[in-house]
Amino acid sequence: MSDVPAVKAALKSQAVETPSWAYGNSGTRFKVFAQPGVPRSPQEKLDDAAQVHTFTGVAPTVALHIPWDTVEDYGALAKYAEERGLKLGAINSNVFQDDDYKLGSVTHPDPAVRRKALDHLLECVDIMDATGSRDLKLWFSDGTNYPGQDDIAARQDRLAEALSAVYERLGEEQRMLLEYKFFEPAFYATDVPDWGTAYAHCLKLGPKAQVCVDTGHHAPGTNIEFIVALLLREKKLGAFDFNSRFYADDDLMVGAADPFQLFRIMYEVVRGGGLTSGVAFMLDQCHNIEPKIPAIIRSVMNVQEATAKALLVDRDALAAAQRGGDVLGANAVLMDAYNTDVRPLLAEVREELGIDPDPMGAYRDSGWAERIVAERVGGRQAGWGA
Ligand code: PSV
Ligand code: MN
């Protein structure tokens, strides 16, 4: 597509979901460096998310993590979000931070632990009913550290049983997103290590079960855009958890480590119709050393830039070169789009949306950063686990 009005329309309708946990403190297992002004409650996380939406115009939803965002009244939280121009997005379940889950959650050898984990997942669907969220995101830390520790195939049976119980509980418009990760915290065998495992479970479950591709959850060198193309073709790509990695699950700002990879992924999304087929473009990031709100704004902008470049690929010229076996010509068409400076185009898109063409500068000048540092004194800052 290189029809500029159509490119602009696609960019205006793109929505990037920001994660509540990216607004809180985070770190590595070595140290969490607390930052002044960090939210102390889910409501304050939404206040910050509203800033991201105000300055980017394309971040209208916020993913919650349960229990990190537990509140008494989820309907009231949804209303709080709405009053700030936001909606609550995916509900992320957490069956990895309780002592009972040392040997797994839904795949644990003990049926009582499996029941406890399943009850949490079902409770997350109740929360979705109250928040109006469409998606339940499932990531399991389940796996084993040593050969022989547990029966690999039996664990798949237990996983399938739990997934099926959750699937049955979903409403008509609700979906479950199964996220895979090839290692960590289990090191020998992870129960949902790759897209193939996630896909196989989702296929058996039915159309409301879709795969979530977290870009940080692959071995180095993995061709993620191939996975994206394949899942889109099979109508099983439900969502992205976007982030960047240099080594492991680094959770850095998306597009920071390898903007070319993000472009290649977004090209397959555009090519496969993923911009309009309900794929959720979510961030799953932690900002350990950089200020959080501008880092999230930057991440949203990086997704927009990659999307704009992907939309600018001259698909007719590419198809002609591919048909003609013109290897270098085809590659040049893709690189031309990648090498286009799309910042002026995005500035125009923002002006047409009625927002400042420079989101980073506008946020900086807004005084919000100083205000939250001054106002958010006392209380307990939110973090990974609270
Ligand atoms: C696991 O590493 C993961 O990617 C899952 O999406 C979790 O819910 C999230 O990180 C927590 O940050
Ligand atoms: Mn993730």
Side-chain angles (χ1 to χ4, degrees):
M1 193 200 288
S2 36
D3 157 10
V4 173
V7 169
K8 283 184 172 175
L11 291 167
K12 284 177 199 163
S13 60
Q14 190 178 28
V16 179
E17 181 159 312
T18 72
S20 67
W21 54 99
Y23 299 96
N25 282 325
S26 60
T28 65
R29 68 182 189 277
F30 300 103
K31 172 72 181 163
V32 173
F33 296 101
Q35 296 185 15
V38 155
R40 290 141 327 149
S41 64
Q43 287 81 358
E44 288 184 351
K45 292 178 191 174
L46 291 172
D47 293 341
D48 287 357
Q51 297 298 308
V52 174
H53 185 43
T54 298
F55 294 109
T56 62
V58 295
T61 59
V62 183
L64 300 185
H65 216 295
I66 308 296
W68 303 341
D69 296 311
T70 301
V71 289
E72 286 276 305
D73 183 343
Y74 288 96
L77 190 67
K79 193 157 174 285
Y80 187 93
E82 237 163 69
E83 286 160 2
R84 282 149 189 80
L86 300 172
K87 277 195 180 328
L88 299 178
I91 300 299
N92 287 250
S93 54
N94 181 326
V95 282
F96 52 89
Q97 280 188 313
D98 190 287
D99 284 342
D100 282 342
Y101 300 139
K102 186 168 77 172
L103 302 180
S105 63
V106 294
T107 68
H108 197 286
D110 179 349
V113 177
R114 298 207 290 275
R115 183 70 240 178
K116 170 175 168 165
L118 177 59
D119 285 343
H120 171 74
L121 304 182
L122 297 173
E123 184 203 337
C124 285
V125 186
D126 294 340
I127 293 172
M128 290 161 70
D129 290 342
T131 57
S133 299
R134 178 189 58 171
D135 294 330
L136 171 68
K137 180 135 69 69
L138 302 169
W139 174 70
F140 300 103
S141 62
D142 296 42
T144 49
N145 271 5
Y146 293 99
Q149 180 189 320
D150 197 7
D151 186 310
I152 290 175
R155 291 177 76 93
Q156 288 300 312
D157 294 341
R158 298 171 203 150
L159 172 66
E161 197 182 316
L163 292 177
S164 152
V166 176
Y167 192 89
E168 290 311 312
R169 166 68 185 81
L170 291 175
E172 269 316 297
E173 304 301 322
Q174 293 174 335
R175 312 187 304 174
M176 56 197 263
L177 304 169
L178 183 55
E179 178 177 352
Y180 58 91
K181 178 171 178 174
F182 76 123
F183 85 112
E184 195 200 23
F187 293 116
Y188 164 60
T190 296
D191 292 323
V192 190
D194 51 27
W195 71 266
T197 309
Y199 172 76
H201 282 284
C202 289
L203 191 63
K204 264 213 179 111
L205 289 162
K208 290 189 276 182
Q210 300 268 308
V211 178
C212 172
V213 175
D214 182 313
T215 47
H217 289 187
H218 306 85
T222 300
N223 183 335
I224 300 175
E225 61 270 28
F226 176 86
I227 299 169
V228 169
L230 189 124
L231 289 174
L232 271 171
R233 188 170 176 276
E234 301 298 333
K235 305 205 175 348
K236 279 291 180 198
L237 180 66
F240 285 99
D241 262 6
F242 277 135
N243 49 53
S244 279
R245 51 85 58 83
F246 287 105
Y247 294 103
D249 189 18
D250 304 355
D251 282 342
L252 298 175
M253 294 189 299
V254 60
D258 187 351
F260 184 44
Q261 180 190 57
L262 183 59
F263 161 76
R264 299 192 312 263
I265 290 172
M266 288 313 301
Y267 174 68
E268 292 307 329
V269 168
V270 170
R271 156 75 181 78
L275 279 188
T276 50
S277 67
V279 175
F281 299 94
M282 309 186 290
L283 305 179
D284 178 8
Q285 302 181 158
C286 293
H287 306 291
N288 302 344
I289 57 168
E290 64 275 35
K292 292 153 199 311
I293 299 172
I296 299 167
I297 293 175
R298 170 60 69 202
S299 304
V300 172
M301 292 171 70
N302 286 351
V303 173
Q304 286 184 294
E305 286 177 19
T307 308
K309 291 177 184 202
L311 287 162
L312 287 174
V313 171
D314 184 338
R315 302 261 302 271
D316 292 338
L318 182 61
Q322 289 171 343
R323 270 195 312 273
D326 182 359
V327 176
L328 294 180
N331 177 243
V333 172
L334 219 64
M335 295 312 293
D336 275 347
Y338 176 65
N339 287 318
T340 306
D341 183 357
V342 293
R343 290 172 299 179
L345 174 74
L346 281 161
E348 278 177 34
V349 164
R350 293 184 185 114
E351 266 165 350
E352 289 169 22
L353 284 174
I355 60 171
D356 197 293
D358 171 16
M360 294 293 282
Y363 172 73
R364 197 180 45 239
D365 297 343
S366 72
W368 182 260
E370 293 74 20
R371 188 177 144 188
I372 54 179
V373 169
E375 286 179 3
R376 293 179 184 167
V377 177
R380 199 159 79 100
Q381 291 190 320
W384 220 72

